[in-house]
Amino acid sequence: MKRLILMRHAKSDWSTGGADHQRPLNKRGRNSAKALGNWLRAQGLAPDQALCSSASRTRETLALLDLEVRTRYEDRLYHAGPVAMLKCLSEAEGDTVIMVGHNPGIAEFADELMATPPRHPRFADYPTGATLVADFEIDDWSALEPGTGTATGFVIPRELLEESEA
C-alpha cells in the first residue's frame, strides 16, 4: 500500500508585489502550516518523502509543517496540472509521500485520483492549506492509476485554528 498526503500551500502574501514564484506566506498562512503539521503528527501521518514545488510559498509551507522528511523540490510542480503531478509522483520512492503544490492543478489532481471524493464541502475548490490523505493498493508509485484512491482524511486549516487565527 502507498499513501499520499496532497497539500495545497498555505495562504500567501500578495502585498509583497514581487514575482509570483517568490511570494511568501502571510501570517495566517504560517499559522495554518504549523497547525497542519500538528494535525499530521496527531493523526500519526509521518511521510517518508516530500515532493514540493520550488515556489517560496510551498517551500515555506513544507518547512513549517516541521516534519523530518527527505525532500525533492521540483520546478515541474510549480503551477503543475494533473498530468505533471502524476508523472512526478510516479517517480516517488517513499511509502507515504507528501506533495505540496498549487491550485487549480492540485484540486484537479485530487479529484482525478479518488475513486470516491471525500464528503467535505470544500474538497472541490481545495482552499489554501487543504490536505487530502489517500491510500492506494499499489506496491510502486509507477503503478498509480487515476480513480483508484481511497480518501482517509481531508482537512482545511480553518477547521484546525482558533477563529482569531483563521
Side-chain angles (χ1 to χ4, degrees):
M1 185 191 80
K2 298 289 185 185
R3 174 168 285 160
L4 175 64
I5 303 167
L6 191 60
M7 181 179 290
R8 182 178 174 196
H9 65 80
K11 192 81 170 158
S12 61
D13 187 350
W14 286 84
S15 70
T16 61
D20 181 74
H21 194 268
Q22 281 72 44
R23 188 165 8 110
L25 298 181
N26 66 15
K27 181 180 177 186
R28 180 173 139 201
R30 290 188 297 275
N31 288 338
S32 293
K34 291 173 187 174
L36 287 164
N38 291 338
W39 181 80
L40 289 171
R41 283 187 292 284
Q43 301 299 310
L45 297 168
D48 51 8
Q49 184 177 12
L51 303 173
C52 184
S53 160
S54 59
S56 295
R57 60 191 176 277
T58 51
R59 294 171 71 103
E60 191 176 356
T61 298
L62 181 61
L64 289 168
L65 296 175
D66 196 25
L67 303 171
E68 297 278 332
V69 61
R70 96 189 123 107
T71 301
R72 277 193 358 228
Y73 296 103
E74 295 276 354
D75 288 333
R76 63 185 167 163
L77 288 178
Y78 176 62
H79 289 297
V83 172
M85 295 180 87
L86 180 62
K87 172 82 170 113
C88 187
L89 184 57
S90 73
E91 299 165 6
E93 298 168 355
D95 289 324
T96 299
V97 174
I98 184 168
M99 181 180 275
V100 185
H102 310 265
N103 247 3
I106 202 160
E108 295 167 6
F109 189 49
D111 186 55
E112 286 182 13
L113 287 176
M114 296 297 91
T116 303
R119 291 192 165 141
H120 192 286
R122 299 301 306 272
F123 179 72
D125 67 316
Y126 228 87
T128 52
T131 302
L132 170 71
V133 180
D135 291 342
F136 299 88
E137 294 296 326
I138 55 175
D139 294 323
D140 191 273
W141 287 110
S142 64
L144 182 64
E145 295 286 335
T148 60
T150 301
T152 60
F154 184 80
V155 70
I156 61 171
R158 189 170 296 277
E159 297 166 340
L160 305 175
L161 295 169
E162 297 292 324
E163 198 57 39
S164 63
E165 296 174 306

